[in-house]
Amino acid sequence: MVQATKEMESCASTKQYKPVLPQCIPQNIVSLDCEMVGCGPKGKNSALARCSIVDYSGNIIYDSYIKPIQPVTDYRTKWSGIKRKHLSNATPFGEARKLIKGHLSGKYIVGHDLKNDFQAIKFSTHPLLIKDTSKCLALRHIAGLPEQQKPSLRKLTGLLFGKVIQSSSHCSIEDARAAMNLYKKVEDQWDNPANPFMNDTYWKAVDR
């Protein structure tokens, strides 16, 4: 009897409960995008160099250049838009990370292929708070793309809004706004239980 009670207590302590989530309203939704530079041999290790967060209306909440912990060996300027001058007096990573986490915590986070951004920031959140447009099949359908094709932010924005982004290098503010616009195009359906592809619970175990 004692053993059974201990087993029940153990099960209860490890059982996972759905957290109390904030209401999914504009005030609780932000969009995130980051730019990376390369560190280490041949610049193969990605490190955060700029982070931008915008609100539901596209207003800038946070935008800062960030100095990586390790020396930069490749600025990846062609893609990142980052140059040496941008990081000379940039915010140290540890300080920036605290500020970024403060803006993201308890919010629904929109973005495109967010796993890369979260990895760079060293940040994690509940899957149900993530609105990743790179995984949204409805956006692919609207854009006339195959389900198995994972489109870039640039391609989706061009097809759905007729707007060209990332025409030269990337801008994290522009990309964060573009992701938010994509989300808003399908937000009314995102958690519609009649459409499992738009329901965040479906994406908890799926990574396309």
Side-chain angles (χ1 to χ4, degrees), residues 54-96:
V54 301
D55 66 13
Y56 185 84
S57 300
N59 301 310
I60 300 171
I61 297 174
Y62 177 87
D63 179 47
S64 181
Y65 290 105
I66 298 162
K67 191 175 185 64
I69 296 173
Q70 301 297 325
V72 178
T73 52
D74 185 356
Y75 286 88
R76 303 177 183 175
T77 305
K78 181 178 178 180
W79 298 277
S80 69
I82 304 295
K83 298 179 180 180
R84 184 187 298 271
K85 65 180 182 180
H86 294 139
L87 302 185
S88 58
N89 294 308
T91 306
F93 174 78
E95 180 182 336

Side-chain angles (χ1 to χ4, degrees), residues 48-202:
L48 183 66
R50 185 182 182 185
C51 177
S52 300
I53 303 171
V54 301
D55 66 13
Y56 185 84
S57 300
N59 301 310
I60 300 171
I61 297 174
Y62 177 87
D63 179 47
S64 181
Y65 290 105
I66 298 162
K67 191 175 185 64
I69 296 173
Q70 301 297 325
V72 178
T73 52
D74 185 356
Y75 286 88
R76 303 177 183 175
T77 305
K78 181 178 178 180
W79 298 277
S80 69
I82 304 295
K83 298 179 180 180
R84 184 187 298 271
K85 65 180 182 180
H86 294 139
L87 302 185
S88 58
N89 294 308
T91 306
F93 174 78
E95 180 182 336
R97 182 172 178 266
K98 290 180 182 178
L99 293 172
I100 295 166
K101 287 181 65 178
H103 289 300
L104 298 180
S105 296
K107 300 290 187 180
Y108 288 91
I109 304 170
V110 175
H112 198 80
D113 213 5
L114 280 166
K115 67 178 183 295
N116 297 318
D117 299 311
F118 288 162
Q119 183 176 359
I121 301 168
K122 301 186 187 304
F123 176 82
S124 63
T125 190
H126 194 280
L128 294 179
L129 291 174
I130 299 172
K131 308 291 186 182
D132 195 328
T133 55
S134 74
K135 296 179 177 180
C136 180
L137 295 188
L139 287 171
R140 300 179 199 180
H141 292 163
I142 297 170
L145 298 172
E147 286 187 3
Q148 67 275 17
Q149 180 182 337
K150 185 177 180 179
S152 66
L153 179 64
R154 185 176 190 269
K155 187 168 189 175
L156 278 177
T157 299
L159 289 172
L160 297 181
F161 297 104
K163 182 180 179 181
V164 177
I165 62 171
Q166 304 170 354
S167 56
S168 52
S169 57
H170 291 211
C171 170
S172 50
I173 294 175
E174 180 181 55
D175 290 354
R177 287 171 172 163
M180 182 64 85
N181 286 335
L182 290 174
Y183 166 73
K184 289 162 78 171
K185 193 163 186 74
V186 294
E187 68 174 317
D188 292 340
Q189 309 171 57
W190 199 284
D191 292 310
N192 182 354
N195 185 350
F197 296 128
M198 294 302 298
N199 193 316
D200 285 327
T201 56
Y202 173 81

